[in-house]
Amino acid sequence: MTTTTHILGYPRIGEKRELKFAQEKYWRGEIDQTELKKVGAHLRQQNWQVQKEAGLSYATAGDFAWYDHVLTTTLLLGHVPKRHRHGFPDLDTLFRVGRGQSQSACGCHGAAASDMTKWFNTNYHYIVPEFSRDDTFEVSWPQLFEEVNEAIQAGHNVKPVLLGPLSYLYLGKEVEEGFERLTLLPRLLSAYQAILAKLAKQGVTWVQIDEPILALELEKPWLDAFKLAYQVIRSEVKVLLTTYFDAVTDCLERVVALDVDGLHIDLAAAPEQLDEVLALLPAHWVLSVGVVNGRNVWRSDLAAQYQRLLPVKAQLGERLWVASSCSLLHSPVDLDLEPALNEEVRSWLAFAKQKVSEVVLLGRALDGNEDAIAQCAVYSQPIQARKSASHVHKPQVQARVNAISPAFAKRSAPYAQRAAHQAEVLKLPLLPTTTIGSFPQTAEIRVQRSAYRAGQLSQAEYTQALKEHIADAVKRQEALDLDVLVHGEAERNDMVEYFAENLAGFQTTQFGWVQSYGSRCVKPAIVVADIEREQPITVEWSKYAQSLTSKQMKGMLTGPVTILCWTFPREDISRKAIAQQLALALRDEVTDLQQAGINIIQIDEPAIREGLPLKKRDHQAYLDWAVESFRIAAGSAKPETQIHTHMCYSEFNEIIESVAALDADVITIETSRSNMELLKAFEEFNYPNEIGPGVYDIHSPNIPTEEWIVDLIQKAAQKIPLERLWVNPDCGLKTRSWPETEAALANLVAAAKTLRKSLTEV
């Protein structure tokens, strides 16, 4: 009774971000498409070989993406937005949809990128499909079939992965009024029939069809559509219906009635669903159990998983499959690339490559292999020992958390009083201009940071170099005549990792990269122990920047919820407990910043929306402690200290009350890609405080014109009173170059001045 082992996907970026660097070379015109595709082919071969050598039953194909897997599906289906259709779709088409297209690039009118948003409650992003009533779907992008053929030719037993038709529709949006995108399902299913038929001709026996929306609380029409969809696309290829990120028990009776051959469930996110699924599992289905957590870096307790699954193996026999909980694209690639890690910490961790081996080892143990059973027991010992480690559980931190009272989460005065104090102290004009915090991380900055870490620059030399970059950023901002300046964050490698490096309780890595979107990768730190601030983190940098200018300097902090969401959290305490520890540490930083003369402090919370649980019934409990954590961090601010926060790529409608409950004096948000649509939530709710709707998309190389920005501000002014509007980009400028940054900001400042003048003349 051999146990089938597989994973739902593998990181596509390469051990050292080879894909990122190749993509960016291609975009700069330094390599051609042939060279770029060679890099992709090499990475796929590496990934399949890792899976084969570990002993997985299947190698997963179709998980590779040049930008994101939803956009790959868009191209597969021939579903390219009309503004980007220039002949038969190719790789450049894909990049245009994801990144936008400037007028100079095509010799025609520029075309905006499609919206980008978070993939469920992860920090991965996808390009949102756009739907119109006359859309058609036709298999016209051969990537999936080429990759399946590559894997077969290389001798692998292939299981392709495909985003399911209902999830693809659900995760998109209508771009014209008067129709429901679900009405496109029959046309879409014809394309899926053709896809499965082509896979069958290639010799594929199983296909993994991802329908992650089944973990949501779906509306009835969407749930009803599943039965028809899977009847229509039924083919000779067996279908493993795949769900993840939460339980499917809400709709389980409908799921088990579908015309498929097996079900994958995420037991890392929702272990409680196993018994109910087993009770209703059809007799001919396989059950794939995702017990190795694909979203975290902690070593699996294989001994405990073995004991848990032994009776399931006895019940199902060969119908039991063992797998990762979700795609491993959310994990760093290889722990073996981290030789500098403390041996104890290393013994607690497993990255994607190690998780593949965990799946295989657990499968062998369940098959009765005595060596594997013994290895599982040994493998679990470090995780078991960690539960009682005194350097993990710190009494002084726990005592401070236990002392939190409601007073910690209250500012010393209500917003109206604070606004009056701030107007007197800050003396800002109508429509004040600012940026979100970061400025271009130039090649010079990166070289100096690498030299410092390699010991080639002393602390004093590195500090002086950073001061020169800060002085340069301040000088450029003054030349642009921005109203509220920032120091530019030259000292920060990443908005979360920087704080992790300066707070006790975190472990950082050298190559622990994961993809965020496109070529953008992040390197999440790992929460390994109770968190505390041992000394000020940002104060000296902000204080130095303020000394260079008479304008207001904004201090920049990353909020507790975002640090939590964008790191790998502990699994032995609650997310709420981690957020509270972070909030107390940041509260101390706020206190020190204002004592150093910084009158504006931004506490970024771009991740607060993505932290929502998938089930709406669980939202309020999360939002309560998330809001409380932010308010604890900001709670030490005096009335005259203006607290800003920033959020990006979020749908605010369902959490607008909680956004208001943060009680930030100013909130800046992404609205440029949505053409100010996201402001509807703030208008309908009558958001009481100040707001800065982003007026240009920093993720696109397009430079917005002054007229474009004026138009966006005027649209915003129809929803938010002018006296409460700020003018700013939609996100930080770290990834942009200085020439395009200055060109865009010059237009931004000019637009604000134009509107101020026109209002004065009226």
Side-chain angles (χ1 to χ4, degrees), residues 142-448:
Q143 179 181 335
L144 173 65
F145 312 108
E146 291 173 351
E147 291 175 9
V148 168
N149 188 57
E150 280 179 34
I152 292 172
Q153 292 299 314
H156 301 290
N157 190 23
V158 181
K159 178 206 61 180
V161 56
L162 183 64
L163 181 62
L166 272 303
S167 290
Y168 179 72
L169 274 178
Y170 191 89
L171 295 170
K173 69 172 188 177
E174 294 93 351
V175 292
E176 61 181 58
E177 296 181 359
F179 92 107
E180 294 286 339
R181 60 189 182 277
L182 187 54
T183 61
L184 298 173
L185 182 61
R187 291 178 230 169
L188 182 60
L189 294 178
S190 296
Y192 272 81
Q193 285 177 315
I195 292 168
L196 293 178
K198 288 174 74 73
L199 290 174
K201 288 182 179 179
Q202 289 183 285
V204 168
T205 56
W206 277 93
V207 62
Q208 170 191 323
I209 299 187
D210 288 2
E211 291 285 11
I213 64 169
L214 285 168
L216 305 175
E217 293 169 329
L218 282 178
E219 302 90 337
K220 187 175 183 297
W222 289 91
L223 277 175
D224 290 344
F226 270 90
K227 186 172 184 179
L228 169 66
Y230 282 85
Q231 284 176 339
V232 169
I233 68 171
R234 185 63 172 166
S235 73
E236 58 190 279
V237 178
K238 293 183 178 180
V239 170
L240 179 69
L241 184 69
T242 306
T243 67
Y244 36 80
F245 299 154
D246 208 328
V248 294
T249 46
D250 285 4
C251 57
L252 186 57
E253 290 187 357
R254 291 176 180 266
V255 169
V256 297
L258 298 179
D259 195 2
V260 298
D261 304 280
L263 174 67
H264 171 89
I265 56 174
D266 184 342
L267 293 185
E272 70 283 355
Q273 66 182 316
L274 178 59
D275 289 343
E276 192 169 343
V277 171
L278 281 172
L280 295 180
L281 190 75
H284 64 286
W285 280 20
V286 302
L287 176 63
S288 170
V289 290
V291 291
V292 171
N293 192 347
R295 287 185 59 174
N296 214 328
V297 293
W298 295 99
R299 176 179 288 202
S300 297
D301 188 345
L302 294 183
Q305 295 291 3
Y306 168 72
Q307 292 296 331
R308 180 187 186 200
L309 293 179
L310 205 55
V312 182
K313 177 67 176 178
Q315 177 181 340
L316 299 181
E318 291 188 351
R319 292 165 54 216
L320 176 66
W321 292 19
V322 174
S324 60
S325 62
C326 60
S327 172
L328 298 179
L329 74 87
H330 305 289
S331 296
V333 180
D334 187 2
L335 184 61
D336 291 340
L337 298 175
E338 307 294 336
L341 276 184
N342 173 285
E343 280 303 314
E344 181 185 35
V345 172
R346 175 190 292 277
S347 74
W348 298 337
L349 306 178
F351 292 178
K353 187 175 181 180
Q354 290 71 41
K355 290 178 184 294
V356 171
S357 297
E358 287 182 342
V359 170
V360 173
L361 180 57
L362 182 56
R364 290 176 55 222
L366 290 169
D367 288 340
N369 184 294
E370 294 295 336
D371 287 342
I373 295 170
Q375 287 177 47
C376 285
V378 172
Y379 190 80
S380 296
Q381 287 174 0
I383 291 293
Q384 296 294 335
R386 188 177 175 279
K387 294 178 180 178
S388 58
S390 59
H391 54 291
V392 172
H393 309 278
K394 302 174 184 177
Q396 70 275 18
V397 176
Q398 294 172 9
R400 198 174 177 201
V401 169
N402 291 336
I404 290 174
S405 70
F408 275 57
K410 290 183 179 179
R411 295 285 297 275
S412 57
Y415 169 71
Q417 293 179 25
R418 301 198 309 264
H421 280 292
Q422 292 159 18
E424 182 179 349
V425 170
L426 302 178
K427 296 180 171 58
L428 297 173
L430 185 70
L431 298 172
T433 56
T434 189
T435 62
I436 303 306
S438 61
F439 276 125
Q441 289 269 314
T442 63
E444 184 181 12
I445 292 173
R446 293 194 295 270
V447 167
Q448 290 166 338

Side-chain angles (χ1 to χ4, degrees), residues 444-462:
E444 184 181 12
I445 292 173
R446 293 194 295 270
V447 167
Q448 290 166 338
R449 183 180 296 127
S450 297
Y452 170 65
R453 291 186 167 177
Q456 298 165 358
L457 278 181
S458 68
Q459 177 70 62
E461 291 170 328
Y462 184 53

Side-chain angles (χ1 to χ4, degrees), residues 431-436 554 602 642-648 652 659 664-672 676 678-679 682 687 689-696 712-713 716-717 720-731 748:
L431 298 172
T433 56
T434 189
T435 62
I436 303 306
K554 183 165 56 171
Q602 183 168 307
Q642 189 175 73
I643 296 293
H644 290 222
T645 192
H646 173 67
M647 300 178 183
C648 57
F652 293 104
V659 171
D665 299 300
V666 181
I667 179 173
T668 53
I669 61 171
E670 181 279 327
T671 50
S672 58
M676 294 290 162
L678 287 176
L679 278 184
F682 293 86
Y687 183 75
N689 300 10
E690 296 174 47
I691 186 167
V695 293
Y696 82 89
L712 285 179
I713 298 171
I720 306 294
L722 271 172
E723 62 272 16
R724 291 199 279 114
L725 273 179
W726 285 62
V727 181
N728 47 263
D730 66 2
C731 204
L748 180 148

Side-chain angles (χ1 to χ4, degrees), residues 55-71:
L56 286 178
S57 305
Y58 288 102
T60 301
D63 54 340
F64 182 84
W66 292 106
Y67 207 87
D68 86 82
H69 62 277
V70 181
L71 182 53

Side-chain angles (χ1 to χ4, degrees), residues 33-75:
Q33 196 170 114
T34 300
E35 288 300 308
L36 176 61
K37 288 185 174 180
K38 282 182 181 178
V39 174
H42 176 68
L43 292 174
R44 291 191 294 273
Q45 293 292 344
Q46 277 188 332
N47 293 350
W48 293 327
Q49 194 61 29
V50 165
Q51 296 170 59
K52 184 176 183 177
E53 290 177 357
L56 286 178
S57 305
Y58 288 102
T60 301
D63 54 340
F64 182 84
W66 292 106
Y67 207 87
D68 86 82
H69 62 277
V70 181
L71 182 53
T72 302
T73 307
T74 291
L75 270 287

